[in-house]
Amino acid sequence: MSVRQRGTEPAPRKQSDTEENAEPRSVAVAVEGRSGLSQTLSSTANLANLLPTGTLLAFQILTPVFTNNGVCDSVTRPLSLGLLVLLGLSCFVACMTDTVKASNGEVYHGLATLKGLWLFDSPTEASSLPDLRKYKLRFIDCVHALLSVLVFSAVALRDRNVLSCFYPTPQHQTQEVLDIVPLGIGLICSLLFLVFPSTRHGIGFPVTPGK
């Protein structure tokens, strides 16, 4: 009786080639999706190198506090907007600053004006400084300042707390704009920074060799 039952048991069905290839393809698509997302987030994070470190640090520390971790009300929303405006203004002003090194090795910081570099702390011996007139404000400085503000806007729009504060339940079209526009702004500004690099070493920017 047991022999007959074993003989009538159906043989295991062999997987077709389509089923065998379906699983590896789905895994490959999932891996490609995750790698594309990680590359996007990595490129967005690299935008921080174009911003003053002090402004970026203040943004990372104060944003969760001002936005109440993304849960804004009628009080915290205007405060958060004011914070973003002040940080964007600091990015603009930081691009107008520069650093000079005196002959005695001391470093001085100043603000670029139409007549030259206005130092925050003037040295006792003015003869030890280079000619400050060659550090005067130029048109390219205004372009860099505007690009820096746009980069800060792109970084802010990719922040979870900022999005939850100003767009708690965005519509489908709004979500598409929030996903695409910051990345587009970051890419265009990064290319412009590469084509028109800044020769200034502003206050708060990362120290680069040769500057």
Side-chain angles (χ1 to χ4, degrees), residues 62-165:
L62 297 179
T63 298
V65 178
F66 275 68
T67 61
N68 193 21
N69 293 320
V71 184
C72 291
D73 52 22
S74 58
V75 176
T76 56
R77 187 173 290 108
L79 291 177
S80 302
L81 181 60
L83 174 66
L84 296 178
V85 171
L86 288 178
L87 294 179
L89 183 61
S90 69
C91 292
F92 187 90
V93 175
C95 293
M96 306 293 183
T97 60
D98 206 344
T99 304
V100 294
K101 189 174 184 180
S103 57
N104 56 5
E106 294 185 2
V107 177
Y108 298 93
H109 305 283
L111 180 68
T113 64
L114 295 176
K115 295 182 179 180
L117 189 66
W118 178 72
L119 297 180
F120 299 137
D121 47 348
S122 300
T124 55
E125 298 180 2
S127 58
S128 62
L129 290 174
D131 187 9
L132 299 180
R133 290 176 295 179
K134 65 180 181 179
Y135 296 94
K136 64 181 181 179
L137 189 66
R138 295 165 296 177
F139 174 75
I140 192 64
D141 297 325
C142 299
V143 175
H144 287 153
L146 180 60
L147 293 178
S148 181
V149 174
L150 291 177
V151 170
F152 174 75
S153 302
V155 173
L157 289 176
R158 300 297 298 177
D159 185 77
R160 179 178 58 85
N161 293 323
V162 174
L163 291 179
S164 300
C165 177

